[in-house]
Amino acid sequence: MLTGMQLIGQEKSIGHDDLVIYGENPATGEKLLPGYSGATIDQVRHACKLASDAFDAFRAQPEEKRAIFLEVCAEEIMLIGDQLIERAMAETGLPKARIEGERGRTCGQLKLFANVIRHGIHLDARIDPAQPERMPLPRSDLRMKNIPLGPVAVFGASNFPLAFSVAGGDTASALAAGCPVIVKAHSAHPGTSELVGQAIQRAVKRCNLPEGVFSLIYGSGRTIGTELVQNPAISAVGFTGSRSGGEALMKLAFNRETPIPVYAEMSASNPVFLMPNALQNRSASIAKGFVGSLNMGAGQFCTNPGLVIACKGDALNDFITTAELAMNETVAQTMLTSGIHAAYVEGINALKIHDSVVEIASGKPNLDKNLCQPKLFSTTAKSFLEDLSLQNEVFGASSLIVICDDLSEYKKVALALEGQLTITIQLDKEDVSEVSTLMPILEKKAGRILCNGFPTGVEVCHAMVHGGPYPSTSDSRTTSVGSSAINRFLRPVCYQDFPEELLHSSLQSSNPDSVPQLVDGKLNG
Amino acid sequence: MLTGMQLIGQEKSIGHDDLVIYGENPATGEKLLPGYSGATIDQVRHACKLASDAFDAFRAQPEEKRAIFLEVCAEEIMLIGDQLIERAMAETGLPKARIEGERGRTCGQLKLFANVIRHGIHLDARIDPAQPERMPLPRSDLRMKNIPLGPVAVFGASNFPLAFSVAGGDTASALAAGCPVIVKAHSAHPGTSELVGQAIQRAVKRCNLPEGVFSLIYGSGRTIGTELVQNPAISAVGFTGSRSGGEALMKLAFNRETPIPVYAEMSASNPVFLMPNALQNRSASIAKGFVGSLNMGAGQFCTNPGLVIACKGDALNDFITTAELAMNETVAQTMLTSGIHAAYVEGINALKIHDSVVEIASGKPNLDKNLCQPKLFSTTAKSFLEDLSLQNEVFGASSLIVICDDLSEYKKVALALEGQLTITIQLDKEDVSEVSTLMPILEKKAGRILCNGFPTGVEVCHAMVHGGPYPSTSDSRTTSVGSSAINRFLRPVCYQDFPEELLHSSLQSSNPDSVPQLVDGKLNG
């Protein structure tokens, strides 16, 4: 049952802020009850205090017990049943299959992290045994393992109400690491947030964990978010959203008395490079795949293909013709919020009136509320290089084809790119040698490089990198999806000459849990 | 031969800045020739350009070739012979055995990183093979490995003219990662820096690497250092020095158009907790070990034990009596620079006149130039908790005993500590249960925790953490010593559905170099 209250530890508490947040059905404009009064500063502080108090007991749990907790979270989310699907559909305008798929992904993600911590690779356990006879000086016994950073503040995304929200990748990886989590609910899906928050609250109780392991608060990013990031109990921040939002959090975190890391996934235009032979051989199928990727979820993906780089010529003309036909057939989809829709319209209008940009295709016109009419534009590489603001993300189903005179312009465009979450290359066998000279540039620009696919669709697995150089994220050394995401919330501690009884089991020579250990530089895992 | 010139790529270039830096013998005040004119802004930019140009070719080298380069650097440093030892002694006032030991450590460190990259664990290679039959959606083939960040700026320390300087841990780990390095020489040992810089310059040539892999520049941190950190070619910064210096670099790096990570190792007072039973059973031997650690290298170690926490009583009185006798016997040693000596004198004078602090022991008085007269002070836990500035580092052989009424005050002091590089516990069997309740606090405060040792002496190995929570370092997730230091200069890239011919050997299924690979979540290394 939805209560409209903050979930602070095991309590439900009425917010007392003047701001009251309502979910809204973006397709109809209908206001969805209940209203969520924002948390007060005192409520935020209380959540932080509980998280801080819970930290040592939570991190002291055996990995197995924390793994079970993650699985119970997944189970409790499934137990919500259709109410979750219906509320999420109402709050986001996303279709049922998409929400159901996202629920599966969210639960799969929790289970993945359960297995990661069971395996123990995240501990990075290392043992350099003592060498008492070493000359000129003996070596001490040195053992190292990762420990969690401390309580984490999570700011969920609007575009994945489940998988990047209350129980999303940031929360799952922070909990897996042993960090208590305080989520600030995204104001676009407060009810969905509460349902999932209640599920985690129940999981905390079922697993007999200290209540401060999880809290969910509502309110404005500017007041509640600021208080949260500045609270001394908070040790790291996870964020998925706009560049301006991410940069504001980075500044707050940097200017604390004790600066803390911010993992902000911000913006990307996810360029797609069409190599000449691939374009020649497969222009129609690439065009169809591209339009499909562009319009998926009304283009509301962090990895939406917002730029296409291609050589002028007949093959590109064929590509454009096919894309245009496919675009014309696309049905407009409801965008997540009226704010996102307004920003999309502003973004495409700016392209429309740009001197060097031509509108080349459009989806079916439809004036219903908050619908995204897909758009395809083109410009020349020269114009692009003269006005690099053309690479700025337009959040939604809009893409810009950058037309090059020759392959040397591909390189110039590649060099001019900002940091990206993904870069895609469409290539055929005959393109390989050219691509091999492009790869060193692309590697420096993106966290993930795709061959002959499209960037939408982010697999939750061990090898995934959903990250990339600034400004796609705040920290190119990390990923927010996949098992490596846990590393964001860990730091190493070295124990010198300790008796085994004071060491964590992962550092004991008998290795009772059989975790991977790097002993004298060699892996025994 | 010393030239007094910048080493930019393979060139020697005369600096043209007004600032001319001379080495100085701190024992005699003698000015040591030649003078080093600071680099001009153009010279800094040129070094950055060369580093940027060299990056792709350098990182494309097989790990084996980069390993050999690191070994050749070590070989060339040894080939400098006694000239290096003599110059370093003259510039630092450090004794011969210490400098020779440090040279061994420096070369050992280069060789350690050679072996690390041969082994390949730093690549964190991961393969999640395609699952074309998976329902509802097939899985792509996803492979991940680490790549280097880009050119790194290194600011060496004054207190380790070899091991934390031009070819020190930051340089060795950055080069191992595949990052070109630009070192700003520490002005306290310009000649030592040039000799080592020439050795690396020769190693670059012998290994046929692009010249921009290494440059060495001289000048003021405020002008040259600022230009270096702000240059767009620079991707990360390594620094060892003062808190104010580190924080200045952090601010510069954060305010760039593209923020970059700063790994600053800044300050620590390295508390030593004396548990009651250990103190009772071994007060004299602990006191002697402590005084030895305190005075080592005139106290000029990042891990010098500047705080002692102990319970009042007879055992502590015995400890103090033995420490006092040992202090009285200590011979004053020359400090590294007159600036460091002046700061030390200021630091101990502030303690002397502090209302709540008592001076309890002193080394032999000696008024010769820049000598460090060791000092031991005491205060009560109550006074310490009332004035936490008492935990500020005094760089040199000064330590403060914090006298507690009981064990509950140990916890209060522990909780009040700032982030530390190390925390030491002297404990006997009967102390174990008490220590186990203290450990969770200490783990949150330090990068390395020692049992029954003293914090000076930082082993270069796989399990070492020379790092710690803010303000001991700028980034608690990292270490600047030991093989994990390489992780600071790497970031992950994911390759989706790429043909093997476009993949790095470490990601090929045949695994020709037998590096550790995480295949579907299981280590095969």
Side-chain angles (χ1 to χ4, degrees):
Chain A
M1 205 195 63
L2 293 178
T3 66
M5 291 199 236
Q6 325 289 316
L7 308 181
I8 299 180
Q10 283 296 312
E11 306 279 310
K12 294 187 172 61
S13 334
I14 302 175
H16 289 291
D17 197 72
D18 291 342
L19 176 73
V20 181
I21 295 154
Y22 290 91
E24 187 184 302
N25 186 323
T28 62
E30 181 199 355
K31 196 191 239 191
L32 300 167
L33 295 175
Y36 289 78
S37 297
T40 62
I41 299 294
D42 280 346
Q43 286 176 315
V44 177
R45 288 185 185 154
H46 182 52
C48 291
K49 171 76 168 56
L50 289 181
S52 182
D53 290 348
F55 178 40
D56 281 341
F58 185 49
R59 72 189 179 99
Q61 302 288 330
E63 313 295 309
E64 176 59 28
K65 197 160 172 210
R66 229 159 50 238
I68 291 171
F69 168 57
L70 295 170
E71 289 164 347
V72 171
C73 287
E75 196 181 307
E76 288 287 346
I77 290 168
M78 290 310 295
L79 284 171
I80 308 169
D82 284 347
Q83 190 190 1
L84 179 63
I85 304 297
E86 286 153 17
R87 178 76 190 196
M89 286 170 65
E91 286 185 331
T92 61
L94 292 169
K96 187 169 186 190
R98 157 68 197 275
I99 295 290
E100 285 181 339
E102 199 181 318
R103 181 177 61 176
R105 178 200 176 98
T106 305
C107 294
Q109 198 160 248
L110 287 160
K111 291 177 197 159
L112 172 78
F113 281 112
N115 287 329
V116 166
I117 61 178
R118 278 199 180 100
H119 182 223
I121 197 174
H122 67 296
L123 298 169
D124 192 15
R126 295 168 175 232
I127 300 178
D128 291 320
Q131 297 176 345
E133 315 294 334
R134 190 183 64 173
M135 297 299 289
L137 286 173
R139 182 169 87 177
S140 294
D141 178 274
L142 291 148
R143 297 174 189 234
M144 187 201 101
K145 73 178 272 278
N146 282 328
I147 70 168
L149 285 180
V152 172
V154 171
F155 294 78
S158 61
N159 58 343
F160 280 84
L162 300 172
F164 284 82
S165 191
V166 178
D170 285 344
T171 298
S173 55
L175 291 175
C179 300
V181 168
I182 301 174
V183 177
K184 196 200 82 63
H186 198 288
S187 301
H189 50 265
T192 308
S193 296
E194 190 188 349
L195 289 171
V196 175
Q198 287 175 358
I200 305 183
Q201 215 179 28
R202 285 193 295 273
V204 169
K205 188 163 189 191
R206 270 179 63 183
C207 296
N208 288 313
L209 293 172
E211 60 169 339
V213 162
F214 175 79
S215 291
L216 173 66
I217 56 177
Y218 293 81
S220 131
R222 214 159 296 173
T223 55
I224 295 314
T226 296
E227 176 62 28
L228 190 55
V229 172
Q230 289 182 328
N231 192 289
I234 299 299
S235 298
V237 177
F239 168 87
T240 307
S242 70
R243 179 165 177 181
S244 61
E247 287 180 341
L249 294 180
M250 288 169 68
K251 207 165 280 178
L252 285 170
F254 184 79
N255 289 321
R256 286 167 48 120
E257 201 180 310
T258 299
I260 55 173
V262 172
Y263 304 109
E265 195 259 81
M266 301 189 285
S267 70
S269 45
N270 303 295
V272 178
F273 286 81
L274 307 181
M275 301 307 292
N277 291 290
L279 192 58
Q280 186 69 46
N281 299 338
R282 303 185 276 117
S283 65
S285 71
I286 296 173
K288 282 177 203 156
F290 161 70
V291 172
S293 175
L294 177 66
N295 291 317
M296 202 177 282
Q300 300 165 126
F301 289 115
C302 315
T303 55
N304 194 57
L307 283 177
V308 176
I309 294 90
C311 254
K312 69 179 181 194
D314 291 344
L316 177 59
N317 294 340
D318 290 348
F319 171 90
I320 290 176
T321 305
T322 310
E324 196 179 341
L325 285 171
M327 292 284 284
N328 293 342
E329 293 306 308
T330 58
V331 177
Q333 297 166 66
T334 309
M335 298 194 88
L336 291 158
T337 69
S338 50
I340 287 175
H341 181 257
Y344 175 72
V345 170
E346 195 179 314
I348 59 172
N349 284 344
L351 287 171
K352 275 183 186 171
I353 61 167
H354 195 290
D355 282 347
S356 320
V357 173
V358 183
E359 180 178 330
I360 53 177
S362 225
K364 277 202 173 76
N366 190 322
L367 293 176
D368 280 0
K369 202 164 168 66
N370 296 331
L371 284 177
C372 177
Q373 187 186 21
K375 290 283 176 187
L376 188 57
F377 300 93
S378 77
T379 188
T380 64
K382 277 179 195 58
S383 303
F384 181 85
L385 294 168
E386 273 165 21
D387 180 3
L388 290 174
S389 76
L390 286 172
Q391 72 180 297
N392 293 352
E393 181 184 40
V394 176
F395 193 72
S398 164
S399 193
L400 174 67
I401 304 178
V402 179
I403 303 175
C404 300
D405 284 343
D406 52 35
L407 283 167
S408 73
E409 283 195 335
Y410 280 50
K411 276 192 190 131
K412 286 182 197 156
V413 170
L415 284 167
L417 289 172
E418 289 194 311
Q420 302 289 342
L421 293 171
T422 71
I423 295 179
T424 300
I425 318 174
Q426 291 286 342
L427 65 96
D428 274 6
K429 225 176 174 53
E430 305 79 5
D431 296 308
V432 164
S433 81
E434 193 61 42
V435 168
S436 68
T437 70
L438 205 53
M439 283 295 276
I441 305 175
L442 305 186
E443 283 177 321
K444 285 180 284 188
K445 299 287 184 178
R448 178 164 58 115
I449 310 177
L450 298 88
C451 177
N452 291 338
F454 292 98
T456 43
V458 181
E459 185 72 35
V460 181
C461 60
H462 302 284
M464 177 47 66
V465 179
H466 189 60
Y470 202 86
S472 66
T473 78
S474 56
D475 189 339
S476 72
R477 297 162 296 175
T478 63
T479 174
S480 63
V481 175
S483 62
S484 297
I486 195 173
N487 296 337
R488 299 176 298 166
F489 303 114
L490 296 168
R491 70 176 183 88
V493 175
C494 171
Y495 304 82
Q496 184 166 329
D497 288 329
F498 267 86
E500 294 245 327
E501 58 199 300
L502 283 167
L503 287 170
H504 186 261
S505 58
S506 63
L507 292 183
Q508 292 170 6
S509 301
S510 60
N511 196 7
D513 301 320
S514 303
V515 301
Q517 290 178 331
L518 191 76
V519 179
D520 251 338
K522 285 181 196 64
L523 267 173
N524 76 352
Chain B
M1 206 195 65
L2 294 177
T3 66
M5 291 198 234
Q6 326 288 318
L7 307 181
I8 298 180
Q10 284 295 312
E11 305 280 310
K12 294 185 172 62
S13 333
I14 300 175
H16 288 292
D17 195 73
D18 290 340
L19 175 75
V20 182
I21 294 153
Y22 289 92
E24 187 184 301
N25 186 322
T28 61
E30 182 200 354
K31 195 191 240 189
L32 300 167
L33 295 176
Y36 289 77
S37 297
T40 62
I41 298 294
D42 281 347
Q43 285 176 315
V44 177
R45 289 182 183 156
H46 183 51
C48 291
K49 172 78 167 57
L50 289 182
S52 182
D53 291 348
F55 178 41
D56 281 340
F58 185 49
R59 72 188 179 99
Q61 301 288 329
E63 312 295 310
E64 175 61 26
K65 199 161 169 207
R66 227 159 53 239
I68 292 170
F69 167 57
L70 294 170
E71 289 165 344
V72 171
C73 286
E75 193 181 309
E76 287 287 346
I77 289 169
M78 291 309 295
L79 283 172
I80 307 169
D82 285 346
Q83 191 192 358
L84 179 62
I85 305 297
E86 285 154 17
R87 179 76 190 196
M89 287 169 64
E91 285 184 332
T92 62
L94 292 169
K96 185 169 187 189
R98 156 70 197 271
I99 295 291
E100 284 181 341
E102 200 182 318
R103 180 178 61 179
R105 178 199 175 98
T106 305
C107 294
Q109 196 161 248
L110 288 159
K111 290 176 198 161
L112 172 78
F113 281 110
N115 287 331
V116 166
I117 61 178
R118 277 198 180 102
H119 182 224
I121 196 173
H122 66 296
L123 297 168
D124 192 16
R126 295 168 176 232
I127 300 178
D128 290 320
Q131 297 176 345
E133 315 296 334
R134 192 182 65 173
M135 296 300 288
L137 287 172
R139 182 170 85 178
S140 293
D141 177 277
L142 291 148
R143 299 175 188 233
M144 189 203 100
K145 73 179 274 278
N146 281 327
I147 71 166
L149 284 181
V152 172
V154 171
F155 294 78
S158 61
N159 59 343
F160 280 84
L162 299 173
F164 284 81
S165 189
V166 178
D170 286 343
T171 299
S173 54
L175 291 174
C179 300
V181 168
I182 302 175
V183 177
K184 195 201 80 64
H186 197 287
S187 301
H189 50 263
T192 307
S193 296
E194 189 186 351
L195 289 171
V196 174
Q198 287 175 359
I200 305 182
Q201 213 180 30
R202 285 192 296 272
V204 169
K205 189 164 189 189
R206 270 180 60 185
C207 295
N208 288 314
L209 293 172
E211 60 169 340
V213 162
F214 175 79
S215 290
L216 173 66
I217 57 176
Y218 292 80
S220 130
R222 213 159 294 172
T223 54
I224 294 314
T226 297
E227 176 62 29
L228 190 55
V229 172
Q230 290 182 326
N231 192 290
I234 299 299
S235 299
V237 177
F239 168 86
T240 306
S242 68
R243 180 165 175 183
S244 61
E247 288 180 339
L249 293 180
M250 287 169 69
K251 205 163 281 179
L252 285 170
F254 185 79
N255 289 320
R256 287 166 47 120
E257 201 180 311
T258 300
I260 55 172
V262 172
Y263 303 109
E265 194 258 84
M266 300 190 286
S267 72
S269 45
N270 304 294
V272 179
F273 286 79
L274 307 182
M275 300 308 290
N277 292 288
L279 192 58
Q280 186 71 45
N281 300 337
R282 304 184 275 116
S283 66
S285 72
I286 297 173
K288 281 176 202 155
F290 162 70
V291 172
S293 175
L294 178 66
N295 290 315
M296 203 178 280
Q300 298 165 124
F301 289 114
C302 316
T303 56
N304 194 58
L307 283 177
V308 177
I309 294 89
C311 256
K312 68 179 180 193
D314 290 345
L316 177 58
N317 295 340
D318 290 349
F319 172 89
I320 290 176
T321 305
T322 310
E324 195 180 341
L325 285 171
M327 292 286 283
N328 293 341
E329 294 304 308
T330 57
V331 178
Q333 296 166 65
T334 308
M335 298 194 87
L336 290 157
T337 68
S338 50
I340 287 174
H341 180 257
Y344 175 71
V345 171
E346 196 180 314
I348 59 170
N349 284 342
L351 287 170
K352 275 183 188 172
I353 60 166
H354 195 287
D355 282 345
S356 320
V357 174
V358 183
E359 180 178 331
I360 54 176
S362 221
K364 278 203 173 75
N366 189 323
L367 294 176
D368 279 2
K369 205 170 167 60
N370 295 332
L371 284 178
C372 176
Q373 188 188 18
K375 290 282 177 190
L376 187 57
F377 300 93
S378 78
T379 190
T380 64
K382 280 180 192 58
S383 304
F384 181 84
L385 294 167
E386 274 165 21
D387 179 3
L388 290 172
S389 77
L390 286 172
Q391 71 179 298
N392 292 352
E393 180 182 44
V394 176
F395 193 72
S398 166
S399 193
L400 175 67
I401 304 178
V402 180
I403 303 175
C404 299
D405 284 343
D406 52 35
L407 282 166
S408 73
E409 284 196 334
Y410 279 50
K411 275 190 192 132
K412 288 183 195 154
V413 171
L415 285 167
L417 289 172
E418 290 193 311
Q420 302 290 342
L421 294 170
T422 70
I423 294 179
T424 301
I425 318 175
Q426 291 285 340
L427 65 96
D428 275 7
K429 224 176 175 52
E430 304 79 7
D431 297 309
V432 164
S433 81
E434 193 62 42
V435 168
S436 68
T437 69
L438 206 52
M439 284 295 279
I441 306 175
L442 305 187
E443 282 175 322
K444 286 180 284 190
K445 298 288 185 175
R448 178 164 57 113
I449 309 178
L450 299 89
C451 177
N452 292 336
F454 291 98
T456 43
V458 181
E459 186 73 35
V460 181
C461 60
H462 302 285
M464 176 49 64
V465 178
H466 190 60
Y470 201 84
S472 67
T473 78
S474 56
D475 189 340
S476 72
R477 297 163 296 175
T478 62
T479 174
S480 63
V481 176
S483 62
S484 297
I486 194 173
N487 297 336
R488 299 176 298 167
F489 304 114
L490 296 168
R491 71 176 183 87
V493 175
C494 171
Y495 304 82
Q496 184 167 329
D497 288 329
F498 267 85
E500 294 245 328
E501 59 201 298
L502 283 167
L503 287 172
H504 186 261
S505 57
S506 64
L507 292 182
Q508 292 170 7
S509 302
S510 60
N511 196 7
D513 302 318
S514 303
V515 301
Q517 289 177 331
L518 192 77
V519 180
D520 250 338
K522 285 182 196 64
L523 266 174
N524 77 350

